[in-house]
Amino acid sequence: MNYRKLKLGTKNIIGRQVTIARKEKDMLQKDLLAKLQVEGLNISLSALSLLEGQKRPVCDYELFILAKVLDKDVNWLLNNGKEFKPNK
């Protein structure tokens, strides 16, 4: 298994969660790319790697497709896996 050699970036907050969710499903990056492509999101392997490394911004439509493919709630991706609790 490859481990990230570089520090995480600051371009998005979901990259770490995408990596966790992908690994929970025993998916390689190329497997995730194939599922994203079926849903209409065409990104390259390097773009996915940058996304997971938080070195690439994530568009809102990408967020929704990632959540769908990874079977996670959008709030889970955005809130670093913590339960979302809006202010009342």
Side-chain angles (χ1 to χ4, degrees), residues 24-46:
E24 283 177 356
K25 293 185 156 297
D26 292 322
M27 267 197 264
L28 298 173
Q29 284 183 329
K30 67 179 185 173
D31 301 326
L32 178 55
L33 286 173
K35 290 181 180 288
L36 293 173
Q37 192 172 39
V38 167
E39 294 296 326
L41 180 58
N42 294 309
I43 62 173
S44 67
L45 182 60
S46 60

Side-chain angles (χ1 to χ4, degrees), residues 36 45 50 56 70 79 81 83:
L36 293 173
L45 182 60
L50 290 171
R56 172 190 178 276
L70 294 168
N79 204 27
E83 185 180 338

Side-chain angles (χ1 to χ4, degrees), residues 1 4 11 15 20 27 29 34 37 40 49 52 58 84 87:
M1 176 180 287
R4 182 164 302 282
K11 301 283 185 179
I20 290 168
M27 267 197 264
Q29 284 183 329
Q37 192 172 39
S49 183
E52 287 188 355
V58 179
F84 181 69
N87 294 332

